[in-house]
C-alpha cells in the first residue's frame, strides 16, 4: 500500500523541484506533510490510528459519535453509515468502512489538496471543474464552499457510491452548482 500527499505552505524555504500547479513555474515553500508508507506493520497501523484519533475532534463537530462508530465497526457492530459534520459546515455521509473514510480525512482533516493555495487568483474568477471519480463528493462539496462561483460536474460510475455522492451534494445545498452523473469516463468508447 503506497500513499503520498505533499502540500506547499508558508513560510517559504527552498524545496527543490516543487512547481506551482497553475503555471508549472518553480516556487519555494515548505512541504507541510509528506506521507509515504509501503507496509501495514503494527507500528504504522498504530501511527495511522493515532493520527485519526487526533484529527477527528479538530475537523468534525460530531467527533464523539464518529469515533464510537468507527470503533464499533472494528468489531462488526458499528452503524452502516457515518455522517461527518465538518467544522467548515459541510455534511458528508459515507459507508462505515476504513477505505471510504480516507477522502473525508484527506479533504477536511489534512487539507491534502490545499485548494485555496492551488486556486490562487482563480478564487476570484468563475471556474468549471470536472470531478472524475467523484466518490462521495468530498472534493466537490469542499470546493463549492471555498470558491463561491465554481461549478462542478461529478462523474461516479459505482451505483452505491453514486447515491452517497448525489445525497451529499443535495444535503449541502449544492444542486445548482454541482451536477452529478452516474457514468464512467474513458479516453475511448467501449
Amino acid at each position: 500500500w503506497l500513499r503520498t500527499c505533499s502540500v506547499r505552505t508558508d513560510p517559504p524555504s527552498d524545496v527543490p523541484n516543487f512547481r506551482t500547479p497553475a503555471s508549472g513555474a518553480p516556487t519555494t515553500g515548505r512541504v507541510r506533510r509528506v506521507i509515504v508508507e509501503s507496509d501495514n506493520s503494527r507500528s504504522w497501523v498504530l501511527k495511522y490510528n493515532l493520527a485519526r484519533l487526533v484529527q477527528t475532534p479538530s475537523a468534525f463537530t460530531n467527533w464523539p459519535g464518529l469515533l464510537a462508530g468507527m470503533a464499533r465497526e472494528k468489531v462488526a457492530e458499528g452503524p452502516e453509515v457515518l455522517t461527518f459534520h465538518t467544522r467548515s459546515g459541510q455534511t458528508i455521509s459515507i459507508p462505515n468502512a476504513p477505505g471510504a473514510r480516507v477522502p473525508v480525512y484527506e479533504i477536511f482533516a489534512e487539507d491534502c489538496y490545499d485548494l485555496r493555495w492551488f486556486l490562487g487568483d482563480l478564487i476570484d474568477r468563475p471556474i468549471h471543474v470536472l470531478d472524475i471519480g467523484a466518490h462521495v463528493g468530498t472534493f466537490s462539496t469542499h470546493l463549492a464552499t471555498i470558491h463561491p462561483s465554481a461549478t462542478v460536474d461529478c462523474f461516479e460510475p459505482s451505483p452505491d457510491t453514486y447515491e452517497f455522492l448525489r445525497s451529499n451534494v443535495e444535503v449541502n445545498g449544492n444542486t445548482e452548482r454541482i451536477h452529478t452523473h452516474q457514468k464512467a469516463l474513458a479516453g475511448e468508447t467501449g
Side-chain angles (χ1 to χ4, degrees):
W1 191 69
L2 179 64
R3 173 152 178 62
T4 63
C5 176
S6 59
V7 178
R8 177 198 166 274
T9 61
D10 293 320
S13 64
D14 290 331
V15 176
N17 301 320
F18 194 77
R19 301 185 177 279
T20 60
S23 67
T27 188
T28 59
R30 183 172 54 94
V31 175
R32 172 176 48 198
R33 181 177 183 92
V34 177
I35 303 170
V36 180
E37 297 290 344
S38 60
D39 69 82
N40 283 327
S41 67
R42 282 179 67 103
S43 65
W44 182 86
V45 171
L46 180 61
K47 283 190 259 181
Y48 179 84
N49 288 333
L50 284 172
R52 290 294 189 247
L53 186 63
V54 170
Q55 291 171 330
T56 303
S58 64
F60 308 107
T61 59
N62 62 327
W63 62 271
L66 291 173
L67 291 175
M70 287 184 275
R72 289 177 33 224
E73 178 267 334
K74 291 186 182 298
V75 293
E77 295 179 5
E80 288 186 27
V81 174
L82 285 178
T83 299
F84 292 77
H85 298 287
T86 72
R87 297 221 177 256
S88 53
Q90 294 94 350
T91 297
I92 302 290
S93 293
I94 62 164
N96 187 11
R101 295 190 289 259
V102 170
V104 178
Y105 279 91
E106 284 179 339
I107 298 294
F108 300 110
E110 298 168 2
D111 194 20
C112 195
Y113 297 110
D114 200 359
L115 285 177
R116 289 186 197 330
W117 169 80
F118 182 82
L119 291 169
D121 293 339
L122 294 176
I123 200 82
D124 298 322
R125 299 183 356 211
I127 62 170
H128 185 80
V129 175
L130 300 179
D131 188 353
I132 301 168
H135 193 244
V136 297
T138 53
F139 175 85
S140 294
T141 56
H142 183 56
L143 176 67
T145 300
I146 67 169
H147 194 300
S149 61
T151 56
V152 184
D153 274 297
C154 294
F155 298 88
E156 176 53 54
S158 168
D160 293 339
T161 305
Y162 174 80
E163 284 306 312
F164 281 99
L165 166 65
R166 185 196 53 72
S167 176
N168 287 330
V169 168
E170 188 175 297
V171 164
N172 286 287
N174 290 321
T175 56
E176 295 294 318
R177 295 178 46 211
I178 301 176
H179 305 281
T180 62
H181 311 276
Q182 187 183 346
K183 297 181 179 181
L185 297 183
E188 56 190 55
T189 304

